Amino acid sequence: MNAIPTRSLGTSGPRTSALGLGCMGMSGMYGGGVNRAESIATIHAALDAGVTLLDTGDFYGMGHNELLIGEALRTAPAGARERALTSVKFGAMRDPDNGWSGYDGRPAAVKNFAAYSLQRLGTDHIDIYRIARVDPDVPIEETVGAIAELIQAGHVRHVGLSEAGAGTIRRAAAVTPVADLQIEYSLISRGIEDEILSTVRELGIGVTAYGVLSRGLISGHFTHDRALSPTDFRAVSPRFQGDNLQHNLGLVESLRKIAEQKGVSVAQIAIAWVLSRGEDIVPLVGARRRDRLTEALGALDVTLDADDLAAVERAVPAGAAAGDRYPAGQMTHLDSER
């Protein structure tokens, strides 16, 4: 195992690698072309490099992603397996046609979801457990209270939140210690800075930032003529459509100039920027292949000084992106946007 920096997930959460591995893309959420052997090899490479945090959701591929992680952990060296931390989202309701039908945060459902996740992961506990989106029909106190009961029973180690707004975060933290908030945070998704970031810092809650490359949009690898599968989330994402895409790729080209001056990649600059926002923030990188993982880990060696950060802000100022980060229907599910 290589030594890479570590960070703490809040005052009550575990210490983890400064970068985590988001595994969603390994289960077809970005269309076809998923290679199971390469996915497992990528998880093994991440663990070998010192990455300890593996993030998933029980609804990624309807359990496929948890089974994949379970297989990767079973076949990893014992030391790497013991160091690995699982971060699991639950609650999203699916149908056989890949449709979405809301979220279920009832206490009985929380425990039911956890039982299935433990079986698929092949572990005796989940390190951080969180509802993927706040269920508007169930008080957050009841949902996190059920996770707290799972902690008391030894099935879960820490409570997490996902895409929760400041008021909801306060209510949850009043019931039980919360390790971290998982929320989208990148150069072109900075809504967290308005109120949420100050709230979690006040309460001693860490942040696991997903979408740090905006689903590949600001990775430096996405092109305007790239064809997307109908099953690829980005095919309906506003930021990947028409004039929005052209505008957003223009921001990437401005960022590319800074990256080239520093002799690093666009993705590394974008990840390093999120890393620079505070020691309480752990970016999740959604690498599906070992080469992309290697590139992402290189961001840990990128230092952005005051001049670099100012240049990045000029290239991609807050609010510069065109289009919402989700389609309108999904935006309504974000407690963080209310």
Side-chain angles (χ1 to χ4, degrees), residues 283-300:
L284 300 171
V285 295
R288 290 184 284 175
R289 307 193 320 242
R290 283 168 286 181
D291 59 335
R292 293 288 191 251
L293 172 68
T294 298
E295 180 184 22
L297 292 176
L300 293 166

Side-chain angles (χ1 to χ4, degrees), residues 105 107 138-148 167-168 170-176:
V138 178
I140 193 64
E141 292 88 348
E142 294 183 15
T143 301
V144 297
I147 302 175
T168 301
R170 290 187 184 280
R171 288 167 52 200
V175 172
T176 184

Side-chain angles (χ1 to χ4, degrees), residues 26-38:
M26 297 176 181
S27 293
M29 301 293 281
Y30 292 130
V34 174
N35 183 310
R36 188 177 188 86
E38 180 61 23

Side-chain angles (χ1 to χ4, degrees), residues 7-331:
R7 294 183 169 185
S8 291
L9 290 182
T11 55
S12 67
R15 195 156 188 89
T16 182
S17 50
L19 286 179
L21 182 64
C23 299
M24 180 183 80
M26 297 176 181
S27 293
M29 301 293 281
Y30 292 130
V34 174
N35 183 310
R36 188 177 188 86
E38 180 61 23
S39 295
I40 291 174
T42 300
I43 295 172
H44 285 170
L47 294 172
D48 183 61
V51 173
T52 58
L53 184 63
L54 303 177
D55 183 77
T56 186
D58 63 9
F59 50 95
Y60 293 167
M62 280 68 136
H64 174 277
N65 205 242
E66 289 181 319
L67 290 167
L68 184 76
I69 291 173
E71 181 178 346
L73 290 175
R74 282 195 310 274
T75 54
R81 184 168 61 248
E82 291 165 3
R83 288 187 295 270
L85 302 172
T86 53
S87 170
V88 178
K89 291 178 290 298
F90 67 88
M93 307 297 290
R94 307 294 303 272
D95 64 36
D97 297 318
N98 293 321
W100 302 82
S101 55
Y103 297 86
D104 192 345
R106 295 172 301 144
V110 173
K111 295 173 182 179
N112 178 74
F113 288 132
Y116 281 88
S117 287
L118 289 166
Q119 178 68 25
R120 286 188 291 256
L121 289 167
T123 58
D124 62 3
H125 71 275
I126 296 165
D127 291 286
I128 311 166
Y129 202 47
R130 70 188 86 242
I131 190 165
R133 299 289 185 267
V134 176
D135 183 345
D137 297 323
V138 178
I140 193 64
E141 292 88 348
E142 294 183 15
T143 301
V144 297
I147 302 175
E149 291 178 4
L150 288 170
I151 292 174
Q152 292 171 356
H155 303 306
V156 171
R157 296 283 169 82
H158 303 280
V159 174
L161 293 171
S162 176
E163 289 289 353
T168 301
I169 294 167
R170 290 187 184 280
R171 288 167 52 200
V175 172
T176 184
V178 175
D180 70 322
L181 168 71
Q182 188 170 121
I183 193 166
E184 187 168 357
Y185 190 27
S186 73
L187 274 167
I188 63 172
S189 295
R190 297 175 60 172
I192 184 178
E193 295 174 351
D194 294 337
E195 181 183 13
I196 292 172
L197 188 54
S198 61
T199 299
V200 295
R201 284 177 168 162
E202 174 193 336
L203 297 172
I205 297 170
V207 172
T208 43
Y210 75 88
V212 295
L213 296 179
S214 248
R215 300 163 185 82
L217 180 58
I218 60 172
S219 67
H221 302 300
F222 201 91
T223 58
H224 74 278
D225 57 350
R226 180 170 173 177
L228 295 173
S229 162
T231 59
D232 189 323
F233 163 82
R234 295 169 295 188
V236 295
S237 173
R239 290 183 175 174
F240 288 83
Q241 308 304 311
D243 292 341
N244 287 352
L245 178 60
Q246 291 291 87
H247 171 85
N248 294 332
L249 289 179
L251 298 176
V252 175
E253 290 311 304
S254 297
L255 197 60
R256 194 185 304 277
K257 295 176 182 177
I258 301 170
E260 289 175 347
Q261 290 172 357
K262 289 188 70 68
V264 301
S265 73
V266 174
Q268 288 168 341
I269 282 281
I271 296 168
W273 181 86
V274 179
L275 283 164
S276 77
R277 307 310 283 176
E279 288 290 320
D280 53 349
I281 297 173
V282 174
L284 300 171
V285 295
R288 290 184 284 175
R289 307 193 320 242
R290 283 168 286 181
D291 59 335
R292 293 288 191 251
L293 172 68
T294 298
E295 180 184 22
L297 292 176
L300 293 166
D301 298 320
V302 177
T303 300
L304 300 178
D305 61 24
D307 290 339
D308 294 327
L309 291 170
V312 170
E313 289 283 347
R314 289 192 297 270
V316 189
D324 286 334
R325 55 195 181 101
Y326 285 99
Q330 293 186 40
M331 288 294 291

